[in-house]
Amino acid sequence: MSRNAKINALLLLAVAALAVLPLVLGLGDHKEEPFAGADAEAETAITEIEPDYEPWFSPLYEPPSGEIESALFALQAALGAGVLAYYFGLRRGRRQGEQRAVAVAEAAAAPRDTPEGD
């Protein structure tokens, strides 16, 4: 197994562990919404500390349900991942193209062994 394959396997294992461990360990079982976002957690903490707190701003769009909010968040994450994958793929393709161009130029510039006449 190559070094890159080992690194990829370890990264995949780490991601799987991060996704599965909170479920297996029962983190959040004592909460009504165990995996609510950080915004909801912050709002709860603020209202416990200061019940009369009034937010300075309100959201531009408030989704009608938590499922739609989650779907929009997943869409945003997918679009971001797609943009990053495109960027890194483009960079890799350019680098490989440059390496091929250098190899072709070096091959063209190298002296060739030609049989000598007479």
Side-chain angles (χ1 to χ4, degrees):
M1 184 179 264
S2 72
R3 183 174 186 264
N4 285 341
K6 288 179 184 176
I7 291 172
N8 288 341
L10 286 173
L11 288 173
L12 185 62
L13 183 66
V15 168
L18 286 173
V20 172
L21 280 176
L23 299 172
V24 171
L25 297 175
L27 300 177
D29 283 348
H30 62 281
K31 298 180 181 178
E32 186 177 321
E33 292 184 40
F35 298 105
D39 293 343
E41 294 287 328
E43 184 179 347
T44 303
I46 290 170
T47 54
E48 285 177 2
I49 295 170
E50 183 65 42
D52 297 330
Y53 175 76
E54 288 292 324
W56 293 1
F57 302 99
S58 62
L60 296 175
Y61 171 70
E62 187 73 35
S65 70
E67 290 83 11
I68 293 175
E69 186 176 356
S70 294
L72 290 173
F73 181 75
L75 178 64
Q76 177 186 355
L79 287 172
V83 167
L84 284 175
Y86 174 78
Y87 171 73
F88 286 119
L90 184 67
R91 283 194 51 192
R92 182 175 182 176
R94 285 183 179 172
R95 186 176 54 233
Q96 287 177 344
E98 289 172 0
Q99 290 173 348
R100 286 187 192 128
V102 167
V104 168
E106 288 174 353
R112 297 184 185 167
D113 292 332
T114 57
E116 295 184 22
D118 306 50

